[in-house]
Amino acid sequence: MNLTEKINEDIKNAMKNKEQFKLGTIRGIKSAIQLATIEKKHDLSDEDVIDIISKQIKMRKDSIAEFQKAGREDLVKQHEEEINILNEYMPTQLSTEEVEKIIEEAFNKIKPTSMKDMGTIMKTINPQVRGKYDMKEISNIIKNKLNNL
């Protein structure tokens, strides 16, 4: 069962169990997937679906930061619950140690000399960490390592 089929199945289950909040969140994912399918003019792979879900999670995390600034704890809680639902469709997340090991291997392979090598490093590690760790954090780790060369 691919990820799109799992999402469709979960929509049916949420409807049967009358889980309105979960149903709304999953329908949001499905509509984003359908939009991307129309744009790309072909069915999406699981990797494409994971990218879409990652973007949805990132948008919600950005919204949480704004809601916290505005003191809207009700919306913060709602978005955190949505993130929990979305995380069910994501691959197992990597630990910080695993990510640092992957970055270290990329550094040993590429042997960067300056910040100009940032893109090359990101390109090398992206397939290994995509959807499994926050890319913003990875970028920060790499920048720190490059600044300390």
Side-chain angles (χ1 to χ4, degrees), residues 31-118:
S31 63
I33 292 169
Q34 288 173 330
L35 184 64
T37 303
I38 291 168
E39 288 174 1
K40 292 190 177 194
K41 297 182 175 132
H42 62 81
D43 288 338
L44 302 178
S45 67
D46 278 355
E47 279 188 5
D48 294 331
V49 173
I50 288 171
D51 286 344
I52 291 168
I53 296 171
S54 293
K55 288 177 187 169
Q56 294 287 319
I57 290 172
K58 183 181 183 310
M59 285 178 7
R60 283 166 174 81
K61 285 182 179 179
D62 293 343
S63 296
I64 286 173
E66 294 300 317
F67 291 143
Q68 286 174 333
K69 288 179 190 173
R72 295 292 311 266
E73 290 303 316
D74 56 325
L75 294 174
V76 170
K77 186 177 182 198
Q78 175 186 337
H79 279 64
E80 286 173 346
E81 290 174 17
E82 288 177 1
I83 289 172
N84 289 338
I85 292 169
L86 294 173
N87 277 330
E88 293 175 19
Y89 302 103
M90 295 297 288
T92 305
Q93 298 295 298
L94 296 171
S95 70
T96 306
E97 294 79 27
E98 291 171 313
V99 169
E100 288 175 353
K101 182 179 177 203
I102 291 170
I103 292 171
E104 194 62 42
E105 288 171 1
F107 267 74
N108 291 336
K109 180 179 174 185
I110 295 168
K111 301 194 184 337
T113 56
S114 69
M115 196 59 120
K116 292 179 183 176
D117 297 318
M118 174 90 174

Side-chain angles (χ1 to χ4, degrees), residues 3 6-7 15 21 23 27 29 32 39 43-44 56-57 59-60 62 70 72 106-107 119 125 128 130 132:
L3 209 45
K6 182 178 180 351
I7 289 169
M15 289 171 74
F21 185 79
L23 178 62
R27 279 184 172 159
I29 299 169
E39 288 174 1
D43 288 338
L44 302 178
Q56 294 287 319
I57 290 172
M59 285 178 7
R60 283 166 174 81
D62 293 343
R72 295 292 311 266
F107 267 74
I125 66 167
Q128 299 170 36
R130 193 156 127 213
K132 298 178 185 174

